[in-house]
Amino acid sequence: MSKIIAIANQKGGVGKTTTAINLAASLAALEYKTLVVDADPQANSTSGLGIDPKGVETSVYECMVDGVDVKDAIRPTEIDYLYVLPSHIDLVGAEVEMVSIERREEKMKEALQDITGDYDFIIIDCSPSLGLITINALTTANSVLIPVQCEYFALEGLGKLLNTIKIIQSRLNTYLEIEGILLTMYDVRLRLSNQVVEEVRKHFKSIMFNTIIPRNIKLSESPSFGVPAIAHDAESKGSVSYLNLAKEIVDKNGV
């Protein structure tokens, strides 16, 4: 069975998509068959893996709303062992369309149930909200990885997200665990970055990853080439950090 990890934080700009793309690519580099599910209408994971969202005819939207077979929507990437279930802007309408559907929180879980044995890891890139699509992702996942940027207001909203996770654990997905809190956009030169690290460590040491993702130009520019950082510059600090994170997750899960 696949290990399904949702990457979630309702705050925007914390590195969710960067983490989804580069963690998945690092797991693929370690030869684990990995699927990225792009559950964000902005479709940045889709384009960041070299697929033009405008050319996507069958996406996660059709799988959730229309019951299209997910195997017909999954696309290979240029990286061995790495696949993507793409998104496009129609996903914005899915929340509205699903409101009246029975068991609407389980539509993603139903869509993915036939392929959970086909991949070692499934990484879900959530949108920056706690709406119905994100709730679907958390209902589907075994665990949730929470990126937190090393900036002012970093912990703002974290309590709300943890509260939402508790509600989902009690009502929709009793098996949901917190995979860990991942600190992103760390700048060793900034006192503020170091203060945030200490603050998160103080409150959440037991669920914090050892790996911290630095600010890195290669991480920032690789999406414009439609490839993960590991394919853009495998020796950059960003690539090495995500490879370390992948190894940490593999070790933690005893895969």
Side-chain angles (χ1 to χ4, degrees), residues 116-136:
T116 51
D118 298 349
Y119 299 90
D120 298 305
F121 287 94
I122 296 175
I123 307 293
I124 308 174
D125 181 21
C126 298
S127 62
S129 76
L130 292 178
L132 191 51
I133 304 295
T134 299
I135 287 167
N136 261 269

Side-chain angles (χ1 to χ4, degrees), residues 52-188:
D52 181 3
K54 289 176 188 157
V56 170
E57 291 179 8
T58 313
S59 72
V60 66
Y61 168 83
E62 283 79 17
C63 299
M64 289 173 66
V65 176
D66 301 329
V68 169
D69 189 335
V70 73
K71 290 177 183 173
D72 294 335
I74 290 170
R75 309 266 288 266
T77 70
E78 290 181 16
I79 294 172
D80 290 342
Y81 298 98
L82 183 59
Y83 299 81
V84 61
L85 175 55
S87 177
H88 56 58
I89 195 67
D90 283 0
L91 194 59
V92 169
E95 303 224 351
V96 178
E97 290 183 46
M98 287 162 63
V99 163
S100 57
I101 296 176
E102 215 175 303
R103 294 172 67 186
R104 57 185 178 269
E105 301 90 354
E106 297 180 13
K107 290 297 154 193
M108 187 182 291
K109 188 176 182 179
E110 288 172 12
L112 297 181
Q113 65 187 1
D114 289 340
I115 57 150
T116 51
D118 298 349
Y119 299 90
D120 298 305
F121 287 94
I122 296 175
I123 307 293
I124 308 174
D125 181 21
C126 298
S127 62
S129 76
L130 292 178
L132 191 51
I133 304 295
T134 299
I135 287 167
N136 261 269
L138 295 174
T139 303
T140 306
N142 307 123
S143 64
V144 53
L145 186 156
I146 305 167
V148 173
Q149 85 280 37
C150 293
E151 290 175 4
Y152 200 59
F153 296 136
L155 298 180
E156 191 184 65
L158 195 54
K160 190 178 177 187
L161 176 60
L162 293 171
N163 201 38
T164 300
I165 290 167
K166 273 186 186 163
I167 292 167
I168 285 165
Q169 285 169 328
S170 65
R171 296 182 191 170
L172 295 166
N173 183 359
T174 51
Y175 300 105
L176 183 66
E177 297 176 346
I178 293 175
E179 190 71 29
I181 291 175
L182 175 69
L183 288 167
T184 61
M185 304 178 196
Y186 175 71
D187 189 335
V188 70

